[in-house]
Amino acid sequence: MKYLLSTFMLTLALFGCAKNPATGGVDMVFMTEEEEFEIGHDVARNAIKTHGLYKENDAFVKYYKEISRNLVDVTERAEMPFEFIVLDSGQFNAWATPGYINIYRGIIPFMNSESEFAAVMAHEAGHVAARHTVRKDAARKAGSALLFVGAALIGANTDNKAVAYGALGAGLFATQVGFAKYSRAYEDEADELALRYMRSMGYDPKEAVGMYQTMGYYNDLRTTIYKYFNDGEEPKESMYYDLLASHPNPDDRVEQVIKREGSLPQGYVSENRDRFLAKIDGMAFGPNFRQYGVVGERNLYNPDNRMVGTLPEGFLTMYMGDGWRSYNNVYKAEASFYKKRVSKGEDPEETLRVMYPKLRQLQKLELDGFEAYTGTQKWVKRGTWGKLETLGMQRVFGFKVLQDKRDDVEKGSSGRDFYILSFFTPEEHFENLDQQFFKSAESFQRLSRKDADRIEPLRVKIYTVQKGDTVKSLAAKLPFGDLKESWFRALNGLGQYDAVKVGHKVKLIVDPNLKILQ
């Protein structure tokens, strides 16, 4: 036992202590500043490799870097080397790692002023200034050492191995929860530091309230989308906050800002709002379109494969983090579109039969630029105990690109890509919808390289509210099907009953690719 205790004390002795530059407290640390920033460099470079840098809007990137540089200059670690990057991803997120303040393009259109935008980055700068990476590392190592020494002490005093293993398991869970609490404590600390930094930069720290409200509106939007694609079902568990969540509820964070700084006057509009909106006008919206294509109101555009097509009316298509999902909320029907690589000489009919061996009523279609086949089969899923359950019917279309005769395309470039357009429909609705499925398949066309190069992502458009405009009429301009109003309110920081004001600028999302189909 003395040996175990000695080992534990030696482990703790290996840890050093250092004064925290932001809080003034003394922290247990287990790495140097050089090691800390090297970790930050590796993490940031991996993120750049995964998502790429957003370079399209040079003016915005320059604007972002200027604000970030001014921010770092008022922190307690201004002397350290920093970089500021915008990642070309539609994710709603920003994060920091030692030496880097990083923001995903996807969060930017939801911000409503420069002050809100600065509040996001000030929070992230707080994580770096307070050395949260180092402190989490030290807490994890100290906790692990204490846990295993404690379990060993219990094991040394009992012959019941189950008791020892049970103590170890309980300790692991308690340690995990403890680290989550540490993380929430770090979030609170970063929030408090953000208010300090905002004030030092000349922003009103009360405006951080808008940033947290924006997060709340976005969370509400995600819940609405989840319910739409799951027939009104509430998420079984909280999608955002659970026992091990690291971020506090936005409503709680709003209360903390008000407690620390006071409330903004009713009807307050940030003086730097229009400046920020001007910078994001025309910004790309949604996932990286070169990786994932573009989806407008109903049209699917793929610049890499030079294809465009239209889904039937009533299908809402959204990027769900790991791919596009299309759903008709009225008929409970789904749609999917993807590409399969096949050998150049492979017969499209045989390819479809191999992929879907239970297809019936297989027939050939006459489509411009494609050799296409279609068929139907039962739509099934594996239920309890592995039993197959019939959900309805599946209509499958397979497209093979024909030899392209366009002058601007190199010879022999086609013939190896096979495209699948598939619809899943409850059996009672199949006859009503099947004709629309055929029309959708017939709408797909192969674009010239010139037209494919004209494909753009969806865009943010800043619009000044005119007399007669309403939330409903403006939301109708967005390409988001039945969820237009939910998207409009989330994008513009509007609560459920808030109205738009004449002369006020709002954000719309537009599809610039409609001109290609005209």
Side-chain angles (χ1 to χ4, degrees), residues 10-17 28-30 137-139 141-142 145:
L10 177 61
T11 301
L12 289 182
L14 291 174
F15 288 82
C17 292
M28 183 162 54
V29 299
F30 200 56
D137 172 76
K141 290 174 178 174

Side-chain angles (χ1 to χ4, degrees), residues 10 66 80 105 133 213-214 227 253 257 271 273 364-365 402 409 411 421-422 468 500:
L10 177 61
E66 287 175 352
M80 301 304 294
R105 172 178 48 77
T133 298
Q213 288 175 331
T214 292
K227 291 171 68 175
R253 300 171 88 174
V257 174
E271 64 180 16
R273 184 175 192 274
K364 185 176 182 179
L365 301 177
L402 295 175
V409 178
K411 292 183 179 181
L421 175 63
S422 184
V500 293

Side-chain angles (χ1 to χ4, degrees), residues 52-54 60-61 64 84-88 103-105 108:
L53 293 174
Y54 179 60
F60 175 81
V61 173
Y64 163 71
F84 316 103
I85 59 179
V86 183
L87 294 164
D88 193 9
I103 194 162
Y104 289 113
R105 172 178 48 77
I108 297 165

Side-chain angles (χ1 to χ4, degrees), residues 60-61 63-72 75 82 84-86 93-96 100-104 107-108 111 113-129 190 193-195 197-198 201 203 211-212 276:
F60 175 81
V61 173
Y63 169 70
Y64 163 71
K65 290 183 177 182
E66 287 175 352
I67 295 174
S68 299
R69 182 67 262 172
N70 292 337
L71 166 63
V72 168
T75 70
F82 271 88
F84 316 103
I85 59 179
V86 183
N93 202 3
W95 51 284
Y100 291 82
I101 296 177
N102 318 293
I103 194 162
Y104 289 113
I107 193 176
I108 297 165
M111 298 293 114
S113 71
E114 185 176 292
S115 296
E116 283 187 30
F117 187 51
V120 173
M121 293 179 288
H123 171 89
E124 300 307 332
H127 283 303
V128 179
L193 290 170
L195 301 180
Y197 301 149
M198 287 183 70
M201 293 175 71
Y203 298 108
M211 183 261 285
Y212 297 129
F276 174 75

Side-chain angles (χ1 to χ4, degrees), residues 18 56 74 98 172 179 245 272 279 290 402 416 462 480:
E56 181 188 52
V74 302
L172 283 169
F179 291 149
N272 53 51
K279 293 294 185 181
R290 297 199 179 280
L402 295 175
R416 304 205 321 173
I462 305 303
F480 298 127

Side-chain angles (χ1 to χ4, degrees), residues 433-496:
L433 295 175
D434 200 31
Q435 187 176 0
Q436 295 185 47
F437 298 159
F438 271 87
K439 288 183 179 179
S440 177
E442 291 165 355
S443 76
F444 276 77
Q445 57 183 288
R446 179 81 160 160
L447 297 173
S448 67
R449 190 169 299 282
K450 181 179 179 180
D451 281 342
D453 288 342
R454 295 169 61 200
I455 294 176
E456 304 177 47
L458 300 182
R459 299 282 184 193
V460 176
K461 180 181 179 181
I462 305 303
Y463 173 83
T464 302
V465 178
Q466 307 296 311
K467 186 177 180 180
D469 286 334
T470 64
V471 167
K472 185 174 182 179
S473 67
L474 293 174
K477 302 176 185 291
L478 273 59
F480 298 127
D482 294 336
L483 303 184
K484 294 174 187 287
E485 187 169 328
S486 296
W487 273 95
F488 181 83
R489 290 188 179 278
L491 280 163
N492 290 286
L494 297 174
Q496 184 177 358

Side-chain angles (χ1 to χ4, degrees), residues 201-404:
M201 293 175 71
Y203 298 108
D204 186 341
K206 297 186 188 72
E207 292 194 59
V209 163
M211 183 261 285
Y212 297 129
Q213 288 175 331
T214 292
M215 293 176 65
Y217 293 139
Y218 180 76
N219 286 350
D220 292 342
L221 173 64
R222 284 186 58 185
T223 299
T224 299
I225 294 172
Y226 180 92
K227 291 171 68 175
Y228 183 91
F229 280 89
N230 292 278
D231 303 328
E233 178 187 334
E234 293 282 351
K236 292 183 176 64
E237 298 178 359
S238 171
M239 297 168 64
Y240 318 104
Y241 316 110
D242 57 21
L243 181 64
L244 303 179
S246 62
H247 285 75
N249 187 304
D251 292 340
D252 295 338
R253 300 171 88 174
V254 167
E255 289 181 9
Q256 286 300 313
V257 174
I258 294 174
K259 181 179 178 181
R260 290 164 176 161
E261 301 292 337
S263 300
L264 289 168
Q266 190 172 3
Y268 176 86
V269 177
S270 178
E271 64 180 16
N272 53 51
R273 184 175 192 274
D274 286 355
R275 180 167 68 231
F276 174 75
L277 294 180
K279 293 294 185 181
I280 69 171
D281 192 17
M283 173 171 276
F285 184 86
N288 187 313
F289 81 108
R290 297 199 179 280
Q291 270 186 291
Y292 302 104
V294 185
V295 174
E297 179 70 21
R298 291 165 54 200
N299 298 319
L300 287 73
Y301 311 90
N302 194 309
D304 183 42
N305 299 321
R306 297 169 35 225
M307 291 184 70
V308 62
T310 302
L311 290 174
E313 187 174 358
F315 277 82
L316 173 62
T317 305
M318 293 206 169
Y319 186 75
M320 307 299 279
D322 57 353
W324 297 99
R325 184 180 174 193
S326 295
Y327 191 64
N328 185 308
N329 190 262
V330 175
Y331 294 106
K332 317 304 179 191
E334 300 180 15
S336 65
F337 181 75
Y338 61 94
K339 180 178 73 173
K340 178 180 174 60
R341 202 72 167 166
V342 297
S343 60
K344 188 171 182 179
E346 192 166 339
D347 179 76
E349 180 180 4
E350 184 60 27
T351 299
L352 206 59
R353 288 189 184 279
V354 170
M355 293 178 65
Y356 300 93
K358 295 185 179 181
L359 276 185
R360 56 190 177 89
Q361 299 177 334
L362 199 65
Q363 58 182 297
K364 185 176 182 179
L365 301 177
E366 298 296 332
L367 301 180
D368 184 25
F370 302 99
E371 185 176 350
Y373 287 82
T374 183
T376 61
Q377 67 177 19
K378 291 288 185 181
W379 175 23
V380 299
K381 75 171 184 178
R382 197 165 295 280
T384 307
W385 308 113
K387 183 179 179 181
L388 293 178
E389 300 175 2
T390 299
L391 302 180
M393 296 295 295
Q394 179 181 6
R395 164 67 71 182
V396 181
F397 297 92
F399 305 84
K400 180 183 179 182
V401 179
L402 295 175
Q403 179 66 44
D404 203 323

